Amino acid sequence: MTIHGFIFDLDGVITDTAEYHFRAWKKLAEENGWAFDRRENEKLRGVARRESLMLILGEHASEYSEAQIQEFMARKNTYYLQFIQEITPRDILPDAKELLAELRAAHFKIALGSASKNARQVLQSLGIENLFDAIADGNSVERQKPAPDLFLFAAKELHLAPNECVVVEDAEAGIEAAKAGGFLTIGLGPPERVGQADAIFPSLEGVHVADLLNALKQ
Ligand code: BG6
Ligand code: MG
């Protein structure tokens, strides 16, 4: 099948919001006396809000009512929204915007496939919303990564079949989701994390369209 589209994850691929998610969860954890550090935070990469909270609470999750869980998620998001007010176009990761522009110039369709409910706002703050033909975010589907639903939704919005699209992801859960949906995959980061992808790059820095296409041929 010929490749006609690319679906990009946001956090960790186009910008690095992981630090803001960490600070917001850390603030909530400190207020509640929960243990939470940067190592724990690594496990939350690509994981939706509710599942992230469940991972932080671990076996203690059952000690809280649904109302408390909802309040924790809302509070974390309030903190997160405060932190991401600082985001500007300077926060786009190196060469990500150039690659998006190159893909557009080469007539590939481009979608966002992010588990974040705040993805649109982040794209607006980065000033690159206009580079996407479709946006799939945390509000688009029920089942989050590692379920393939979000990427399937994105492909549908692009009017393409999964095997005509490449998913670019930095999270293990994201690669798993893309593979489950029948997409080609580019993993960004260390092999321990994205080793299941069809091709791996450390980041998008210095990466051109030809590099992506060549890497997927092997
Ligand atoms: C993903 C992040 O993109 O979005 C996760 O990698 C985050 O860390 C998830 O939990 C959900 O984000 P939000 O903005 O809906 O809480
Ligand atoms: Mg990510």
Side-chain angles (χ1 to χ4, degrees), residues 11 21 44-49 52 76 80 114-118:
D11 297 335
H21 281 294
L44 310 185
R45 198 177 274 270
V47 177
R49 199 180 305 167
S52 296
K76 183 267 174 175
Y80 181 69
S114 167
S116 174
K117 292 188 164 148
N118 299 300

